[in-house]
Amino acid sequence: MGTTTDSKPKSGLAPALGAYLIWGFLPLRRQGPDVRSALADRRALGWLAVSSALIAINWLVYVWAIQNGEVYAASLGYYINPLINVLLGTLLLGERLSRAQWIAVAIAAVGVALLAGGALTTLWISLTLALSFGSYGLVRKRVTVGSLPGLTIESALLLIPSLALAGWYAATQGSAFFVSPALSAAIVLGGFVTAIPLLLFAIAARRMPYSMLGFFQFLAPSIVFVLGLTVFEQPLQPAQAASFAFIWLAAGIFIFDLVRRSKAAS
């Protein structure tokens, strides 16, 4: 018996794009003047176009990786990302790290290298995620547009390519948006939830040193690691255990140095 079209698993790419577009336009309710001001600034609009492209690449690669079972590679990308942020902050923004903080960076790099050693064939996924999100944060830090209006304009700039991609997918593969109402609703709600941390990230990127923000980003993949170990009962390989030990040691050194320096300055 041949396989019917209905038996094929439906991709969530189209509804995911739709979800992000929906929550992206919500801030327009009270941000009209700021949005109009940003749209009138050619330089700011150009940089927001760049940040839109970067976050679109990040989302698409992440969705593709998860749907193709490359969860490990996606997770690794967000462990490499903080190191990218530290490098961008020091090389491009002139931020300076103390000797203890550089030691922490080196220790974290060893931990990431242990993870990367077992995923060379999918390292392109991890590097794309890390570089695209790291560059996104750098652009948002430099652009002179508020976090909420900037997020709104980014979503607006992605409207036409997103609709074109969703239309192409629906025409060639069949839309998954109306196949499962419960799944579609969950994806849309996921978009609302995702908007909050992305907005907070944009605010943090503008208000604190980028290299410091990088180290705070180790928190999210580490929480995922703890959940995988405790809630989802994923097996822990020796290389993974060693890697996380290095990363948490580095984070501890970095935070300890920040606290010590802040007390000395007060």
Side-chain angles (χ1 to χ4, degrees), residues 157-217:
L157 290 173
L158 291 174
L159 176 60
I160 294 178
S162 298
L163 290 178
L165 181 58
W168 170 84
Y169 187 88
T172 58
Q173 305 293 328
S175 175
F177 198 79
F178 298 107
V179 172
S180 173
L183 177 60
S184 298
I187 293 174
V188 172
L189 288 175
F192 286 106
V193 173
T194 307
I196 297 173
L198 189 59
L199 176 61
L200 293 176
F201 174 81
I203 295 172
R206 290 171 58 85
R207 295 184 180 178
M208 68 188 303
Y210 202 51
S211 53
M212 186 185 301
L213 176 63
F215 255 78
F216 280 103
Q217 286 183 279

Side-chain angles (χ1 to χ4, degrees), residues 14-260:
L17 288 171
Y20 284 117
L21 288 170
I22 289 171
W23 62 252
F25 281 104
L26 288 179
L28 279 173
R29 187 171 50 178
R30 295 186 179 180
Q31 296 294 318
D34 290 337
V35 171
R36 286 193 294 271
S37 177
L39 290 174
D41 185 340
R42 287 189 176 184
R43 185 176 183 276
L45 189 59
W47 279 115
L48 286 174
V50 173
S51 65
S52 299
L54 289 169
I55 200 63
I57 292 170
N58 188 269
W59 285 340
L60 288 173
V61 172
Y62 182 77
V63 170
W64 183 90
I66 296 302
Q67 289 200 328
N68 286 272
E70 301 293 352
V71 179
Y72 178 77
S75 175
L76 177 58
Y78 292 106
Y79 267 114
I80 298 175
N81 180 223
L83 298 180
I84 297 293
N85 286 6
V86 171
L87 291 176
L88 290 175
T90 54
L91 296 177
L92 300 182
L93 300 179
E95 297 174 357
R96 300 182 64 180
L97 299 181
S98 68
R99 179 179 299 178
Q101 290 170 346
W102 274 118
I103 292 173
V105 170
I107 292 173
V110 172
V112 170
L114 288 174
L115 283 178
L120 293 179
T121 58
T122 58
L123 195 56
W124 69 270
I125 297 174
S126 305
L127 291 176
T128 300
L129 290 173
L131 289 170
S132 60
F133 199 70
S135 300
Y136 170 79
L138 179 65
V139 171
R140 289 306 308 269
K141 183 175 181 65
R142 302 302 296 268
V143 71
T144 57
V145 177
S147 302
L148 200 55
L151 184 60
T152 302
I153 294 173
E154 286 172 342
S155 300
L157 290 173
L158 291 174
L159 176 60
I160 294 178
S162 298
L163 290 178
L165 181 58
W168 170 84
Y169 187 88
T172 58
Q173 305 293 328
S175 175
F177 198 79
F178 298 107
V179 172
S180 173
L183 177 60
S184 298
I187 293 174
V188 172
L189 288 175
F192 286 106
V193 173
T194 307
I196 297 173
L198 189 59
L199 176 61
L200 293 176
F201 174 81
I203 295 172
R206 290 171 58 85
R207 295 184 180 178
M208 68 188 303
Y210 202 51
S211 53
M212 186 185 301
L213 176 63
F215 255 78
F216 280 103
Q217 286 183 279
F218 277 123
L219 202 57
S222 296
I223 291 174
V224 173
F225 159 72
V226 173
L227 290 176
L229 188 64
T230 58
V231 177
F232 301 107
E233 299 182 347
Q234 295 292 315
L236 180 63
Q237 303 299 324
Q240 291 173 312
S243 173
F244 289 117
F246 275 105
I247 289 170
W248 275 103
L249 174 61
I253 293 173
F254 198 91
I255 294 172
F256 173 79
D257 187 67
L258 285 177
V259 173
R260 180 182 63 82

